[in-house]
Amino acid sequence: MGVRHAVVAGGGIGGLTAAVALSRSGWHVTVCERAPALTGIGAGIVLAPNALRALDSIGLGPDVWAGDALPGPVGLRTPDGTWLSRSDSGALSTRYGLSTRAVHRGFLIDALAAALPPGVVRLGVSVTGVDDAGGAVVVRTSAGDLRADVVVAADGMRSVLRGHLFPRHPGLRHAGEAGWRAVVPGTGLPPQEATETWGRGERFGVVPLADGRIYVYATTVTGPGAQPADHHAEPSRRFGAQPTDHHAELTRRFGAWHDPIPALLDRLNRRNPDPVGILHHHFHELGSPLPRFHAGRVALLGDAAHAMTPNMGQGGCQAIEDAVVVAHLLARDTDVPAALAAYTEARHRRTTRISRRSRRIGELARLSHPLAASIRNLAVRATPRVVTSRALDTVLGWQPPSGPAPASANVHANEQP
């Protein structure tokens, strides 16, 4: 048998991880990325122990991730600074054997791209469809047709190939929130802790990155196409035209919250000599799970397969897990359709559970009535740490497949009924 050819649609985190994993297991790989350059748009990403373990299994171990691990305590606070829950990152490292890393997405994209052989990534090339003839796949691209033994569709939340494979699926739905994201310099600020602060229908997150910068994000309740709901404004002003001055909007909402939020907001100020770009977007998810993550010789991966809300910080981590599992199964089994069927079996239940859990967390965070928010805060504060730790075990304790054991057994080893 000659060298098999895999075409990966999409050069994001999941697609590049799949490309690295497949390349290192003997596949010839072509990555088609429609953008003219590989970029890390999206600010920061938290690489939890499950994602780091997956990356390590394909040769991207701790030596790749320069800088400091996530320092100090992590947890939830209220706008006045009161802690609702708090865990020590060192204890999490001891429990899961790896220290969580928070890095800029651009750094992760660069590291993955650097691990690929020259010429693998084809920029400015979009995949528009596939024709699966059984023995091979013809991949339709903007630069002409490619012939492949397998296609990995990692083309994102608005996946063209997902629509091609499952045209009757309802697709994305609005998740009821909009968010802002940015990375600010940490110079001159005291050491920061990783925190998320819950108000009434609003959140603000602070995550120190390994390179010394700080990833900040904020969310608020909204509807599709509407201005984010403003609980500080008169009812007549709560919806209307999309604001263009995001710094002013963030300051009005979060400027009176606990330290260091005001200082971090100041670093977003467009009047500063080096203003920081602010990304703004509405949250969407696949509200209904796909019936499977494959069809014939085509596998869906990451957001294309299971776009989820960001409430657990697992979207990118699950894409990395997907990539490692599908590459492992394709290396183990020469029957591509059978390997992809095993991939669905291995990944569908896990990602569906994590997606649902993330949605439930978002529903709690979006509570805006004063009484409902107070009851939520009391419940969070009263939850024993051991309960929280056990809930995290099924996510962070995941182990990548290895050896001849079925991958489906490995990926479900840490699942609870």
Side-chain angles (χ1 to χ4, degrees), residues 3-7 22-23 26-30 120:
V3 176
R4 296 186 292 174
H5 183 209
V7 171
L22 287 166
S23 178
W27 284 75
H28 170 62
V29 182
T30 301
V120 166

Side-chain angles (χ1 to χ4, degrees), residues 13-14 17 44-55 100-103 105 108 301-303 306 308-310 312-325 347 350-351 354 395-396 398:
I13 291 170
T17 303
I45 180 172
V46 175
L47 294 174
N50 54 310
L52 290 172
R53 213 173 283 117
L55 290 167
T100 298
R101 299 269 171 164
V103 300
R105 284 178 181 260
L108 178 56
L301 177 153
D303 282 347
H306 46 69
M308 62 183 69
T309 58
M312 293 180 66
Q314 278 290 314
C317 295
Q318 290 306 303
I320 291 169
E321 285 188 16
D322 288 346
V324 167
V325 171
R347 299 299 300 159
R350 174 170 170 79
T351 56
I354 291 174
V395 178
L396 305 186
W398 178 88

Side-chain angles (χ1 to χ4, degrees), residues 139-214:
V139 185
R140 310 295 183 190
T141 83
S142 58
D145 292 349
L146 296 172
R147 189 173 179 86
D149 297 287
V150 70
V151 175
V152 176
D155 53 343
M157 183 177 293
R158 291 173 173 81
S159 170
V160 170
L161 294 185
R162 182 181 65 230
H164 180 84
L165 297 180
F166 300 102
R168 296 184 179 180
H169 188 270
L172 296 175
R173 73 178 181 189
H174 194 274
E177 285 184 287
W180 298 264
R181 294 174 292 166
V183 172
V184 304
T187 307
L189 292 175
Q192 298 298 310
E193 300 175 348
T195 63
E196 186 169 282
T197 301
W198 285 8
R200 294 194 294 113
E202 296 174 324
R203 287 180 283 174
F204 197 98
V206 178
V207 182
L209 300 183
D211 63 9
R213 291 182 291 175
I214 302 169

Side-chain angles (χ1 to χ4, degrees), residues 178-389:
W180 298 264
R181 294 174 292 166
V183 172
V184 304
T187 307
L189 292 175
Q192 298 298 310
E193 300 175 348
T195 63
E196 186 169 282
T197 301
W198 285 8
R200 294 194 294 113
E202 296 174 324
R203 287 180 283 174
F204 197 98
V206 178
V207 182
L209 300 183
D211 63 9
R213 291 182 291 175
I214 302 169
Y215 170 40
V216 296
Y217 61 89
T219 73
T220 189
V221 173
T222 187
Q227 176 180 339
D230 186 355
H231 300 293
H232 312 291
E234 294 298 323
S236 61
R237 293 182 55 235
R238 289 185 182 173
F239 293 93
Q242 182 68 34
T244 57
D245 189 341
H246 293 304
H247 177 261
E249 180 79 1
L250 289 165
T251 300
R252 184 162 56 88
R253 292 175 180 278
F254 305 103
W257 286 26
H258 65 79
D259 291 333
I261 293 174
L264 295 172
L265 290 173
D266 185 61
R267 299 196 172 206
L268 299 174
N269 194 335
R270 65 183 178 183
R271 293 185 294 274
N272 286 343
D274 298 306
V276 175
I278 303 173
L279 301 172
H280 177 264
H281 61 287
H282 287 256
F283 294 167
H284 293 83
E285 63 172 340
L286 282 181
S288 301
L290 292 172
R292 58 191 182 278
F293 292 164
H294 76 286
R297 289 175 173 265
V298 183
L300 294 166
L301 177 153
D303 282 347
H306 46 69
M308 62 183 69
T309 58
N311 302 302
M312 293 180 66
Q314 278 290 314
C317 295
Q318 290 306 303
I320 291 169
E321 285 188 16
D322 288 346
V324 167
V325 171
V326 75
H328 170 80
L329 291 166
L330 286 167
R332 190 188 68 173
D333 194 341
T334 58
D335 184 340
V336 170
L340 297 190
Y343 165 69
T344 285
E345 174 64 22
R347 299 299 300 159
H348 195 278
R349 182 176 67 174
R350 174 170 170 79
T351 56
T352 298
R353 287 181 172 183
I354 291 174
S355 179
R356 287 173 177 167
R357 188 184 299 182
S358 182
R359 185 182 308 131
R360 288 195 296 268
I361 293 172
E363 290 167 352
L364 287 175
R366 289 199 304 271
L367 292 174
S368 57
H369 190 280
L371 179 58
S374 295
I375 294 172
R376 172 200 68 196
N377 292 350
L378 288 172
V380 172
R381 191 179 291 127
T383 301
R385 185 173 299 178
V386 65
V387 174
T388 304
S389 296

